[in-house]
Amino acid sequence: MIFELNGKNVSFEAIPSLTLLDLLRNEFGLTSVKKGCDQGECGACTVLLDGMPVNSCLILSPQVEGKRVTTIDGLSENPLMIELRDAFMENGAVQCGFCTPGMLLSSYSLLRDNRNPTEEEVKMAIEGNICRCTGYVKIIEAVLDAAVRIGPD
Amino acid sequence: MSINNHNTHILPKFEYYSPKNIEEACKILSELPEDSKILAGGTDLIPKMKEGVLKPKNIINIKQIQGLSGIQEKDNCIIIGANTKIRDIEKNLIIQKKADILHQATKKIGSVQIRNIATIGGNICNASPAADGVAALIALNAEISIIGVKKKKTIKLEAFFKGPGKTILNKEEILTEIKFPVPEPGSYGYYCKLGRVSLDLATVSLAVQLKMVDEKVENIIIVSGSVAPTPLRLYNIENLCINKKITNDLIDEVAEKISREIKPISDTRASADYRYLAIKGLAKEAFSQILEKSRGTR
């Protein structure tokens, strides 16, 4: 089976009982996709599926056939992601870092569709990403700061 | 002893089917034994399989079947395909404009990541008494279409449930679409739920959809979630409101009487006593909000 991973077509052996999360980590070595609760609660395994954030631990690998999967690795040169990353670092929004890839992808998806979000909208966008260090205040500040940096258009 | 009894998060072994169309899906389902499960979004099925609560021998993925998703307005009805993602319903402008209660309810389902994969058909077929989307859809007087090997049928959504996790679906049948009349002018809806944090399943929920003519309630549907084995219509409270103006006195009377209409149990989320009390608060909130909306003060 073939799907698009970070801009490149890749083929893989679709084992139904293998989740997208395990496929990405074990077969493709993308350990930026974190395995937290493995039950769709914590958001550490967030990836973009056809551009939308999803929990990769809840998706069976054959279900991604023909789809587009993006992890933070695929957005390393992306201008919006660069601003977000800088804003996270400068605002102290990273503590242990385990939730950070998922937080970045959820925030990226928000700012891509809404360049001037309210604090409430930021909270809604990251409600599926749990930070065990409880650094939410800094994370929200970082996302709002990134929105200022990228400007209105 | 099976390793999966210990919540290892390892998916048990299963056979995987990916039918191309609905007829093929029904045929596969009819030929397979009872311990088969339909996979749509998988946001409920996959965690339950990882926990070892469900161990289906066969999984039939229907997500890729064409023509099962989308939202359209036709003949004064809104039709939603069963495979439509919750997030797509939440963002849909027809729903936001004409069926606000469903917009409100879908916004309260899980997280963005969950809503991007979970489907409305799954929200219904899981038959959770707490399902946010279901309470709102019953309040909108929704019907559902079910397709089997040979026949198609349409039933009222509220008649679909038999108990927690149990529906009237036969093993070869698939839910295909949900349909409800566009609420008439003068209609207002409100959905509210209580949970510990925003992602939680509802501890208690309440959906109220009504139509007012000359400030009086002409028709009304009230549905409560997590207070009975299935989503529960509160007919006695509906009858109490018919032909009356919504006043503070009526709201107090509804709040006073609503606890008698529910049959909650105590479970991990809350005690029955809590639910008897909490439903009063939700009733006050819902009716006050509708009153405010109808006055155009919102």
Side-chain angles (χ1 to χ4, degrees), chain B residues 55-269:
Chain B
K55 294 174 190 169
K57 292 276 188 301
N58 304 288
I59 298 279
I60 299 91
N61 181 19
I62 59 164
K63 209 169 186 174
Q64 73 296 341
I65 294 179
Q66 302 279 316
L68 275 187
S69 62
I71 300 162
Q72 50 168 321
E73 195 181 343
K74 206 170 130 188
D75 302 334
N76 221 20
C77 282
I78 293 172
I79 302 167
I80 306 176
N83 263 359
T84 308
K85 292 184 190 109
I86 301 291
R87 183 74 166 160
D88 291 339
I89 297 173
E90 176 193 351
K91 286 180 169 175
N92 185 275
L93 295 177
I94 300 173
I95 301 293
Q96 287 182 16
K97 212 173 130 207
K98 302 193 168 170
D100 179 50
I101 191 169
L102 183 59
H103 170 70
Q104 296 171 38
T106 48
K107 249 168 62 173
K108 293 189 162 78
I109 298 175
S111 62
V112 174
Q113 289 97 318
I114 295 288
R115 298 201 290 277
N116 271 329
I117 32 180
T119 66
I120 191 69
N123 196 237
I124 294 171
C125 290
N126 271 327
S128 162
D132 299 301
V134 173
L137 283 170
I138 293 176
L140 286 165
N141 206 9
E143 291 178 345
I144 53 173
S145 296
I146 294 166
I147 203 161
V149 178
K150 290 199 185 78
K151 54 181 192 292
K152 206 177 157 181
K153 63 185 172 193
T154 301
I155 62 160
K156 284 262 181 210
L157 176 57
E158 57 179 296
F160 182 63
F161 306 102
K162 287 203 299 195
K166 294 199 175 68
T167 71
I168 60 148
L169 269 192
N170 292 322
K171 75 171 181 115
E172 79 282 5
E173 289 177 327
I174 296 173
L175 170 66
T176 54
E177 66 180 31
I178 301 104
K179 181 176 167 182
F180 58 85
V182 174
E184 291 167 30
S187 296
Y188 302 92
Y190 193 79
Y191 179 78
C192 47
K193 81 181 211 188
L194 287 171
R196 222 166 23 92
V197 295
S198 63
L199 263 60
D200 281 354
L201 290 177
T203 303
V204 194
S205 68
L206 192 68
V208 180
Q209 178 76 25
L210 56 79
K211 183 188 165 195
M212 283 200 250
V213 175
D214 298 333
E215 292 181 49
K216 283 184 184 163
V217 176
E218 190 184 77
N219 56 55
I220 178 168
I221 298 182
I222 307 175
V223 187
S224 183
S226 296
V227 296
T230 63
L232 190 68
R233 253 191 89 167
L234 307 179
Y235 289 100
N236 287 339
I237 305 297
E238 291 174 8
N239 291 336
L240 177 72
C241 299
I242 291 285
N243 285 327
K244 291 196 184 128
K245 278 189 182 182
I246 299 177
T247 58
N248 287 334
D249 285 347
L250 180 70
I251 296 174
D252 286 343
E253 194 182 349
V254 167
E256 172 64 32
K257 291 183 175 163
I258 199 164
S259 303
R260 293 177 212 160
E261 307 299 321
I262 63 174
K263 302 162 204 144
I265 55 164
S266 295
D267 62 15
T268 49
R269 276 176 278 143

Side-chain angles (χ1 to χ4, degrees), chain B residues 1-10 12 50-52 55:
Chain B
M1 188 169 61
S2 159
I3 192 169
N4 279 309
N5 289 339
H6 300 279
N7 198 3
T8 56
H9 295 183
I10 297 169
K50 286 183 176 181
E51 285 165 28
K55 294 174 190 169

Side-chain angles (χ1 to χ4, degrees), chain A:
Chain A
M1 281 188 181
I2 291 173
F3 71 106
E4 187 188 314
L5 177 58
N6 291 331
K8 290 190 194 104
N9 278 335
V10 294
S11 66
F12 67 108
E13 191 195 345
I15 303 167
S17 58
L18 188 71
T19 60
L20 175 60
L21 169 61
D22 288 335
L23 178 78
L24 293 173
R25 287 181 63 86
N26 301 340
E27 304 299 318
F28 294 101
L30 292 173
T31 50
S32 70
V33 190
K34 300 297 180 199
K35 192 168 193 164
C37 70
D38 210 10
Q39 287 184 307
E41 297 277 353
C42 77
C45 70
T46 300
V47 300
L48 302 183
L49 183 66
D50 288 342
M52 307 311 280
V54 299
N55 300 114
S56 62
C57 70
L58 297 182
I59 294 172
L60 301 182
S61 54
Q63 291 184 298
V64 300
E65 185 182 13
K67 297 206 187 284
R68 192 157 45 90
V69 176
T70 312
T71 69
I72 52 164
D73 312 81
L75 294 169
S76 57
E77 309 288 322
N78 178 288
L80 171 55
M81 186 54 97
I82 290 170
E83 290 293 355
L84 256 173
R85 223 164 47 199
D86 290 350
F88 265 59
M89 287 190 281
E90 287 165 32
N91 285 278
V94 181
Q95 290 186 52
C96 83
F98 197 82
C99 73
T100 309
M103 285 287 183
L104 283 170
L105 285 169
S106 288
S107 311
Y108 171 86
S109 164
L110 169 73
L111 294 185
R112 182 196 57 203
D113 300 340
N114 176 1
R115 301 189 78 106
N116 190 21
T118 61
E119 186 177 330
E120 202 51 39
E121 286 167 334
V122 174
K123 287 181 182 171
M124 291 277 282
I126 61 168
E127 69 183 353
N129 294 85
I130 294 174
C131 169
R132 283 265 3 219
C133 310
T134 68
Y136 294 106
V137 172
K138 300 278 185 197
I139 293 168
I140 293 161
E141 284 172 4
V143 180
L144 290 169
D145 182 30
V148 173
R149 289 166 184 236
I150 57 173
D153 62 337

